[in-house]
Amino acid sequence: MTVLPISIGILVAGGVYLLCQPGMVRIVFGITLLSHGANLVLLASGVSAWRGEPLTGTGDPADAADPLPMAFVLTAIVITLAVTIFMLALAMIGHDDDTLHMPDTGEDHRA
Amino acid sequence: MTGSLLPLLVVVPLLGAALGALVPGGIARAMVVLSPVLTTAGGVALLVTHRDTPVLAHEVGGFIPGIAIPLVSDTFTAVMLTVTGLTTTACIVFALITGEARLRYFPTLVMMLSAGVNGALMTGDLFNLFVFIEVMLLPSYALIAMTGTWRRLGVGRLFVVINLVTSTILLVGIGLVYGVAGSVNMAVLTDMDADDPRFRLAVGVLLLALTVKAGVVPMHGWLPRAYPATSATVMALFSALHTKVAIYAVFRIHQTVLDGAAEWMTLLLVLFTLTMLVGAYGSLGERMIRRSLAWQMIAGVGYILVGVGIGTELGLAAGLFYMVHHILVMGSLLLSSGAIEHAYRTNQFVGLAGLMRREPVLAVIMALGMMSLIGFPPSSGFFGKVSLARAAADLDGFQLWLVFGALTVASIGTLLAMSRLWADVFWGPPMEEMPSRGRGRTEPPVVPEDTRMRLRTLVPAGALLLVSLAIFVVPGPLGEWCLQAADGLLDVTAYVESVTTS
């Protein structure tokens, strides 16, 4: 199984490259790639070859896949998705640290 | 208190958060005060219980041990729950006084935050730790985005990106641990061979992510930029909860899972002493009260973690003692700064002067708080540093000189930074007579002559300071608890037995 490590490597490399770029949207894409890499690491910690469904009554437990890494990945995907949406919102309303432009948030900036 | 009550410490704030979103206004504000008070009460009840039963565990959902997600409490957990609950209460009372708690979702977000913190302190499962840290972080992102100055929007990005990237690293670490050990239950992981290089690498990745979240040098740069841009209340909350939960997890994982790997000791001591020094002297470059204090927070992280670096019973207990002291004193100083901002609309050195004559009560509270931070009596900081020095005396050779040297030099740095803050803010001419007032785009507003603080804005800061002073007068009980907590970290048999059989 060399496909999985190579994909993880490519995803992490791409994620780190994008994280080092200016601009929030690129950073968000970078984090998305990085978290996919992390999800594959989690999947790889179970048995990565094809196995039976991990449901009771569908076969021999010895042939079933490990359900725990899948549960981990599912939780991680949900969390990352929520934060990604928040970061995209920040990319819209925020301003870069390098600029002096104040965003119009409808409040007194001096406070 | 029995183990089956432990989930309440998570469930009650979470339910409160949901109700607070549905029923805004006075009811939500009443619940947001009540929830940390209940946490504190739970922590105290646990402290009493742990005098007889060292560990309480509960398998959530009643699944069999090993499969279930355990919630565990020992003396360490109970001390942390009590102190964080107390400080959160003070922060929320301050938010109520300044009116910040009237923001629509403030009560909900704060209750979600405390649910995450309580869960992260109690969980006995690494993946669950990740989930609770995320539960704690998500409302924090929103709190940063809705309080503070307009700079928060830029800084909010920094905070989100750093925390999400480190959470991803944490997740990779958990995946590696599961791959090597086949379990993420901390009680099961204590049986692992800590000398297995694959296992060490996996736990090392975990610890790396946690030290970034804790703000250890050289991964500290985000903290003094992100925290001061929020409001003082939120900064005090974050300082008491976020970095401290990460430090708690470092204590727990390094000691129970890794058995305190001895050959990393020098490396860890170098990193943590460097954290003390960089944090203590970093303040000197800042011109705002809260930015200056943010650097002292980093120094505090160094002091606390040196206890892990030393790794003996005394070392761990001293680190824990320092953590309790640091949470209380930092909370008091940040809320004092918040009171200044509430009255004078600025916390820049150039905008403030002569506060000693103008605000004597504030001057007393902040002077005692700063003395506590430096380590002078009469304050908890004195015993914090004395006990660290006592624990460090058991080291030998290079390590002894390193820790003692850093303790001394970093304390002098804190003294210099605090003297400068004092001279700029509390001494000097009355504010109306100041010759030059501010430069750049954020010129501080002109202060009318009759502006004074309302005394009640100082009550939360004063209350936290009183606890710190009480620890100076009666350090015995806290010292006992810290020693008991350190015993629980070094000898994990009771912990393992409780988790695997309950």
Side-chain angles (χ1 to χ4, degrees):
Chain A
M1 286 303 290
T2 50
V3 180
L4 212 48
I6 291 173
S7 346
I8 294 170
I10 292 173
L11 283 171
V12 171
V16 171
Y17 174 77
L18 281 175
L19 268 181
C20 298
Q21 299 291 308
M24 188 65 181
V25 177
R26 282 180 205 158
I27 291 176
V28 175
F29 287 163
I31 287 181
T32 312
L33 289 187
L34 210 57
S35 66
H36 281 313
N39 290 341
L40 287 185
V41 171
L42 280 178
L43 273 187
S45 68
V47 181
S48 52
W50 190 89
R51 307 288 298 254
E53 301 89 340
L55 297 171
T56 43
T58 53
D60 187 4
D63 293 331
D66 188 348
L68 207 53
M70 300 180 188
F72 289 170
V73 170
L74 196 61
T75 317
I77 287 175
V78 173
I79 291 172
T80 320
L81 181 71
V83 185
T84 305
I85 292 166
F86 181 73
M87 282 195 298
L88 286 172
L90 276 185
M92 280 299 295
I93 61 169
H95 70 109
D96 284 321
D97 287 343
D98 299 335
T99 57
L100 291 174
H101 169 72
M102 297 184 196
D104 183 18
T105 53
E107 62 192 294
D108 184 8
H109 287 135
R110 281 173 306 163
Chain B
M1 201 161 174
T2 60
S4 49
L5 290 176
L6 289 179
L8 282 182
L9 284 169
V10 181
V11 171
V12 169
L14 262 187
L15 272 181
L19 279 174
L22 293 174
V23 206
I27 301 172
R29 288 199 291 279
M31 283 192 299
V32 78
V33 185
L34 205 60
S35 115
V37 170
L38 288 176
T39 304
T40 318
V44 172
L46 282 172
L47 274 178
V48 174
T49 314
H50 289 318
R51 275 196 294 201
D52 305 321
T53 27
V55 185
L56 280 178
H58 178 68
E59 314 286 348
V60 178
F63 288 96
I64 51 169
I67 291 182
I69 293 168
L71 289 181
V72 197
S73 163
D74 59 4
T75 317
F76 190 11
T77 316
V79 170
M80 289 297 291
L81 282 173
T82 313
V83 179
T84 53
L86 201 66
T87 316
T88 312
T89 315
C91 293
I92 289 167
V93 170
F94 183 76
L96 285 173
I97 292 170
T98 58
E100 206 172 329
R102 288 181 179 276
L103 290 170
R104 176 69 172 83
Y105 287 109
F106 185 89
T108 298
L109 292 171
V110 173
M111 279 186 276
M112 256 162 88
L113 177 62
S114 23
V117 171
N118 293 352
L121 291 177
M122 285 191 300
T123 185
D125 178 287
L126 290 180
F127 190 78
N128 218 4
L129 176 73
F130 162 78
V131 173
F132 276 125
I133 287 181
E134 289 304 312
V135 170
M136 171 179 101
L137 286 172
L138 281 167
S140 315
Y141 301 149
L143 280 174
I144 277 203
M146 62 190 251
T147 61
T149 60
W150 63 271
R151 277 187 59 81
R152 70 188 188 266
L153 292 173
V155 163
R157 293 175 172 186
L158 174 73
F159 184 78
V160 177
V161 169
I162 286 284
N163 273 300
L164 195 57
V165 170
T166 45
S167 291
T168 311
I169 298 173
L170 187 70
L171 199 59
V172 170
I174 291 166
L176 294 177
V177 168
Y178 186 74
V180 178
S183 172
V184 286
N185 188 319
M186 278 195 253
V188 178
L189 290 178
T190 50
D191 286 343
M192 280 295 294
D193 176 16
D195 289 330
D196 181 350
R198 297 178 305 158
F199 185 62
R200 287 203 158 189
L201 177 70
V203 180
V205 174
L206 265 180
L207 288 176
L208 174 73
L210 289 170
T211 44
V212 178
K213 281 184 192 289
V216 171
V217 171
M219 293 89 76
H220 65 289
W222 60 275
L223 196 152
R225 289 199 67 196
Y227 279 18
T230 62
S231 73
T233 320
V234 173
M235 185 174 168
L237 267 179
F238 285 5
S239 112
L241 304 177
H242 282 196
T243 45
K244 302 309 179 283
V245 164
I247 293 172
Y248 168 86
V250 170
F251 265 79
R252 181 69 82 193
I253 293 172
H254 187 260
Q255 287 305 321
T256 57
V257 175
L258 217 53
D259 295 338
E263 60 273 30
W264 291 3
M265 198 165 142
T266 307
L267 173 70
L268 290 180
L269 283 177
V270 168
L271 275 182
F272 298 152
T273 47
L274 207 61
T275 309
M276 282 156 62
L277 293 169
V278 170
Y281 286 90
S283 283
L284 291 173
E286 299 294 351
R287 296 202 202 113
M288 288 161 97
I289 299 176
R290 280 201 277 127
R291 284 182 166 231
S292 176
L293 291 175
W295 284 98
Q296 296 304 321
M297 272 171 67
I298 294 178
V301 171
Y303 284 111
I304 298 164
L305 285 176
V306 156
V308 181
I310 296 170
T312 58
E313 184 196 4
L314 273 181
L316 291 168
L320 180 55
F321 192 100
Y322 200 90
M323 173 139 66
V324 172
H325 142 74
H326 193 74
I327 291 176
L328 293 169
V329 169
M330 212 23 110
S332 168
L333 285 173
L334 286 170
L335 291 180
S336 306
S337 167
I340 296 178
E341 281 162 61
H342 188 62
Y344 296 104
R345 299 273 152 218
T346 182
N347 71 357
Q348 298 187 61
F349 291 171
V350 285
L352 298 163
L355 282 188
M356 191 169 74
R357 287 173 198 286
R358 206 180 168 107
E359 306 284 0
V361 182
L362 170 83
V364 170
I365 291 177
M366 277 200 87
L368 286 172
M370 287 176 191
M371 278 161 75
S372 192
L373 208 57
I374 301 161
F376 285 135
S379 62
S380 53
F382 173 69
F383 283 116
K385 284 195 177 163
V386 166
S387 52
L388 269 179
R390 169 65 193 85
D394 292 338
L395 299 168
D396 38 39
F398 167 68
Q399 294 171 341
L400 176 73
W401 287 106
L402 182 71
V403 176
F404 261 100
L407 269 173
T408 318
V409 179
S411 298
I412 295 172
T414 307
L415 175 64
L416 287 175
M418 291 299 109
S419 322
R420 176 164 174 246
L421 201 163
W422 182 263
D424 276 350
V425 174
F426 287 90
W427 282 347
M431 264 191 265
E432 300 81 28
E433 296 167 19
M434 278 187 359
S436 99
R437 303 189 30 87
R439 357 172 221 281
R441 61 176 191 276
T442 50
E443 194 162 314
V446 177
V447 181
E449 201 170 328
D450 56 345
T451 301
R452 290 289 182 279
M453 280 177 194
R454 271 175 295 176
L455 268 186
R456 59 197 169 109
T457 56
L458 284 170
V459 170
L464 287 179
L465 186 78
L466 277 182
V467 181
S468 161
L469 296 184
I471 291 175
F472 174 78
V473 181
V474 199
L478 180 61
E480 287 287 316
W481 288 325
C482 291
L483 279 173
Q484 203 182 332
D487 283 337
L489 285 175
L490 288 171
D491 180 16
V492 291
T493 39
Y495 185 92
V496 174
E497 193 182 333
S498 176
V499 173
T500 48
T501 56
S502 68

